[in-house]
Amino acid sequence: MTRISLPASIDAAPAGAQPLLEAVKKQIGSVPNLFRLTANSPAGLEGYLGLSGALAKGALDAQTRERIALAVAQINGCDYCLSAHTYIGKNLAKLDDAEIAANRNGRSTDEKADAAVRFAVALVQNRGQVSEDDVKAVKAAGYGDAELVEIVAHVALSTLTNYLNEAFDTPIDFPAVHAAAA
């Protein structure tokens, strides 16, 4: 049971959120609970979708974006996001089980992606206060300034969804994965 309203349908959501939820349904075929919960604030939902959509057009590939989301969700203990991103990682980004396990442990089996995931982990663990060596390491792996900004933005986006789900106890509507089982 959520701690705030979870609109049962698109029509039950606030009027300002309904077109946004319709767009989500059209794009992915359903409206996961995270979107329905966030729809309590049409502005919050618009902000989330706007940032997510903009970052999807960025320099980081879908696999790296999922790797970051998995690492951040694990650190923040968000079972909803771990469940969603494990599903998305396997089925859309085509990450294998070993890669997903590595991501949840703050690493990657891919050398370049490993630098991005480690940088994301450093951001979360140090609340943005990364060292010069952290920045140098991710740059040495081949990431440019735009990609570094996007890594920070993906950490922020993941943190937003982690906090929404944890604060309001969003019911998991993906095959369940739990943070304690990394």
Side-chain angles (χ1 to χ4, degrees):
M1 188 65 150
T2 62
R3 294 177 179 151
I4 65 172
S5 172
L6 182 67
S9 66
I10 292 173
D11 292 339
Q18 291 176 11
L20 301 170
L21 294 175
E22 288 289 354
V24 168
K25 184 176 182 182
K26 183 178 179 182
Q27 182 180 11
I28 64 175
S30 66
V31 182
N33 287 340
L34 165 66
F35 298 95
R36 293 190 301 128
L37 181 117
T38 307
N40 280 293
S41 167
L45 181 59
E46 183 178 0
Y48 165 72
L49 291 171
L51 182 56
S52 179
L55 290 174
K57 298 177 210 168
L60 295 177
D61 62 43
Q63 290 182 320
T64 301
R65 296 190 309 259
E66 289 307 313
R67 290 170 170 125
I68 291 167
L70 286 160
V72 174
Q74 181 69 36
I75 293 167
N76 287 331
C78 182
D79 290 349
Y80 186 96
C81 289
L82 280 172
S83 300
H85 290 288
T86 297
Y87 179 85
I88 294 165
K90 282 183 181 181
N91 295 292
L92 299 177
K94 303 300 183 194
L95 300 175
D96 62 28
D97 289 339
E99 180 63 15
I100 289 170
N103 302 154
R104 291 183 61 193
N105 284 303
R107 305 284 183 264
S108 174
T109 60
D110 176 272
E111 188 176 333
K112 183 176 180 183
D114 188 60
V117 173
R118 287 176 184 257
F119 186 66
V121 167
L123 285 163
V124 176
Q125 290 176 335
N126 299 303
R127 296 185 295 178
Q129 300 292 318
V130 294
S131 70
E132 183 66 29
D133 287 342
D134 291 327
V135 174
K136 284 180 181 176
V138 75
K139 282 185 165 192
Y143 290 99
D145 292 348
E147 293 161 311
L148 269 70
V149 169
E150 289 179 27
I151 292 169
V152 173
H154 279 286
V155 167
L157 183 65
S158 291
T159 301
L160 169 64
T161 59
N162 293 175
Y163 284 13
L164 282 166
N165 290 313
E166 288 302 297
F168 302 124
D169 203 19
T170 308
I172 298 171
D173 48 356
F174 292 91
V177 176
H178 300 285

